[in-house]
Each structure stands twice: as structure tokens, then as C-alpha cells.
Amino acid sequence: MELETEQQQLEAIRQGDKDAFRALVNPLIAKSYRSALAILGSKQLAEEAVQNTLIEAYSTIMSGREIRRFQGWFGRVVANRSIDVARKEQNYRQSLDIDDLIIPDQGSSPLENLLRKENSQRVIEAVLALKLQQRMVIVLYYFQELSIEEIAGMLGLKAGTVKSRLYHARLKLSRDLHLTRPQTKEIMI
């Protein structure tokens, strides 16, 4: 979204235009829900995190606080609220349906969709099997597309710690998904 248009929408919201708020957040809700779901592993907890994010977004806008890039800010708030919910619900149960995370490709055949769904299910199960600390950095890095520095700032960690957690999470995912690099030998001709 263009920065000028975004600022106009924020101002319209401050003037009481609820449709402007809906137009601003609706395109972000699906991705936010998928990210929260990947972090939390529970539909109910993901919905709670997104709902808390929407309330915080509206309150922040109405308070007059300046928000430069709403989409990036919103994604960071979703991640923070998901982390808050995860900390609050230490013993939550992970129950995840792959259909909640995948956006169907209308141009694919049913067989391609089935194969993609099976592969995605394996990946998601492997991500959910990660420790919460590793899962959070994986989701923030790959789902929310945050930089290592942004993740470090959000979680109150050093960039090196985030890199280490990403590295170990990738190793575990690779082992769990059996994604070893093929052993190749160079042939001199």
C-alpha cells in the first residue's frame, strides 16, 4: 500500500470512519492468522492473538500515534501478541489443520493440490515440533518476513542469538524432514 494512501486511511480512521479501518486491516488478517497459528499451534489461541492485535491497532491509531508502515507494524504486533499468548498459555495443546495455513492455488490440478497439502502438512508438523523459542524465530523470519535485527529487537535478544536459534531450528527441520544434501562427487574429465 502506498505510504500516502495509508496515512490518509489512518487519518480517516481517527475521524471515525470504521470502513477505513476495515479496508486497512482486512488484507492483513489471513496472513496474520496463519502466522499466529504457526507460532501457537491452536486455532483458539491464534484467534485470540489476532483479536488482541486488532484491538491494539485500533487503539494505537485512535491515540494519534504515528505509524509509518502499517503492514510491517501490524505484523510485528501479531508476532508480539502471539508470543504473549504463548507465554500465558504454557500448556496449550497444539491442534492444527493444514487447511488453515494453505491458500489454495486455483490453477493447480487436484493431484498437485493433494501433494502440496501432504508436503505442507509434514513441514508444519515439523515446525510445530520445534521448541517454542525456535518456532518463534522460524515463523517471524519465514512467515512474517522480518529481518534478524527486527526479530532480535522484538524478542529482546542479540542478533547472534536469533541466528543461532534459526540455525538450530533449520537443522532440526532438515533432520525431521530428511532433507539432507545429496553426496556428490566431482568427476574430472
Side-chain angles (χ1 to χ4, degrees):
M1 178 183 298
E2 191 177 311
L3 188 60
E4 189 174 302
T5 306
E6 185 177 276
Q7 293 303 317
Q8 290 171 346
Q9 279 187 307
L10 292 172
E11 191 53 43
I13 294 166
R14 289 183 186 110
Q15 300 302 319
D17 185 351
K18 294 195 187 332
D19 289 332
F21 182 72
R22 192 173 300 116
L24 186 64
V25 299
N26 271 352
L28 307 175
I29 290 176
K31 180 180 178 183
S32 299
Y33 176 75
R34 287 190 303 275
S35 296
L37 189 58
I39 290 172
L40 297 166
S42 163
K43 290 179 182 181
Q44 295 80 10
L45 295 178
E47 289 169 0
E48 180 182 342
V50 172
Q51 182 177 5
N52 291 345
T53 302
L54 290 168
I55 291 167
E56 184 172 339
Y58 189 77
S59 297
T60 302
I61 292 168
M62 294 307 285
S63 73
R65 187 173 139 214
E66 184 177 347
I67 302 171
R68 279 270 177 218
R69 288 179 173 71
F70 185 80
Q71 184 174 352
W73 177 86
F74 192 82
R76 286 188 294 279
V77 174
V78 167
N80 282 327
R81 291 316 130 243
S82 297
I83 293 166
D84 291 346
V85 169
R87 288 178 181 149
K88 184 177 86 175
E89 301 288 335
Q90 289 293 324
N91 298 320
Y92 63 92
R93 240 175 87 79
Q94 295 178 349
S95 59
L96 185 59
D97 184 6
I98 187 68
D99 292 325
D100 295 326
L101 290 174
I102 295 180
I103 298 173
D105 181 3
Q106 302 302 329
S108 299
S109 72
L111 179 60
E112 290 172 327
N113 287 335
L114 178 64
L115 292 173
R116 186 179 307 113
K117 183 175 178 178
E118 286 177 2
N119 286 333
S120 296
Q121 182 69 39
R122 287 183 55 227
V123 170
I124 289 168
E125 287 172 357
V127 169
L128 288 174
L130 294 171
K131 295 177 186 174
L132 180 61
Q133 294 176 339
Q134 292 176 340
R135 189 170 61 238
M136 283 190 295
V137 295
I138 287 289
V139 170
L140 295 174
Y141 190 77
Y142 289 106
F143 284 66
Q144 287 290 334
E145 300 173 356
L146 298 177
S147 70
I148 289 174
E149 292 75 23
E150 290 173 317
I151 296 168
M154 179 184 300
L155 299 177
L157 303 170
K158 293 180 181 176
T161 304
V162 173
K163 289 177 184 178
S164 174
R165 288 181 183 178
L166 274 172
Y167 173 77
H168 290 289
R170 289 176 185 140
L171 278 179
K172 182 162 180 15
L173 289 172
S174 177
R175 279 193 308 267
D176 291 352
L177 297 170
H178 308 289
L179 298 176
T180 57
R181 291 186 179 153
Q183 298 294 328
T184 57
K185 295 183 180 181
E186 291 183 26
I187 299 175
M188 299 293 270
I189 297 179

